[in-house]
Amino acid sequence: MLELSITFNKYVAMKACRVHITGASGAGTTSLSRALAQSWSVPCHDTDDFYWQPVEPAFSQKRSEAERLELMQRLFLPRKAWILSGSLMGWGDILKPHFDAVVFLQLDPAIRLKRLRDREIKRFGRDALEKGGTRNAQHEAFMRWAAGYDDPAFAGRSLANHEAWFDDLDCRILRLDSALPVDQLVSRILAA
C-alpha cells in the first residue's frame, strides 16, 4: 500500500470547497469525486465531459481549449464549492487559482490497468475490444497510453508530469492510496 502523505498550505479542516481530484487514468478519481460531492451536496464534474465532444463513437472528437474553459466557467467555476475529477494538466492550468485543494490518487499500476480493462469491457463489451472488434485499435492505443503513466519519459499524463504540475499549486494537496475503499478515502478527505 502506498504511504499517505498530506501537504498543508492552509491549516483548516476540510469543508465543502473547490476540490480537484486527479491521478492516473483508472486510479478512481471519478468514483471518489462522486462520493465526496454526495457527502458535501455539491456539484461534481469530470474533465472528460469538457474535453470530449458528446459524439459517437465516444472519446473521438476533442473540444477546443477555449470551448472547454468557457463551459467550465458557465457551469461551475463561480460556485463556492464543487468537485472536479480527472486531469487538466496543460490545457486547464488557468483553473489552478480556483482550487482550494487537490486530491492526488495513486494506485499500483497492475491494479489500475486491470480496473481500466474492466471499465472498457463494461463500457464497450468484450467482443468490441478483442482482435477484429470494432474498438480493438482504440482500446489497445488507450491501454498503451494508460500504461505510460509510470514511465518518467512519457510525454502525456504521467506521474512525473503530475509531480511537476503540483509545484506551483497554492492550495493543500492530499496524496491518497486509492486501493482503499471509497468511503475511507472520503473520510480521510473530510478529516484533513
Side-chain angles (χ1 to χ4, degrees), residues 157-175:
R157 184 187 337 176
S158 69
L159 178 58
N161 288 338
H162 259 133
E163 292 294 349
W165 190 78
F166 297 147
D167 285 345
D168 65 334
L169 284 173
D170 188 27
C171 65
R172 63 171 50 176
I173 301 170
L174 289 80
R175 296 169 181 271

Side-chain angles (χ1 to χ4, degrees), residues 5-17:
S5 66
I6 303 173
T7 306
F8 293 98
N9 291 335
K10 298 177 182 180
Y11 295 93
V12 294
M14 184 75 79
K15 295 180 182 174
C17 59

Side-chain angles (χ1 to χ4, degrees), residues 99-166:
F99 303 149
D100 296 315
V102 169
V103 176
F104 179 51
L105 296 182
Q106 294 178 281
L107 184 64
D108 177 272
I111 297 169
R112 186 174 60 76
L113 292 173
K114 182 182 181 328
R115 281 185 183 180
L116 286 174
R117 279 188 204 91
D118 293 346
R119 182 179 79 188
E120 291 272 291
I121 289 168
K122 184 177 179 182
R123 185 178 281 165
F124 301 111
R126 187 177 305 277
D127 291 344
L129 304 181
E130 291 181 356
K131 283 194 177 188
T134 57
R135 293 214 36 108
N136 177 260
Q138 295 94 328
H139 171 69
E140 294 297 326
F142 172 67
M143 294 303 292
R144 279 191 304 277
W145 171 83
Y149 183 81
D150 296 290
D151 177 356
F154 188 66
R157 184 187 337 176
S158 69
L159 178 58
N161 288 338
H162 259 133
E163 292 294 349
W165 190 78
F166 297 147

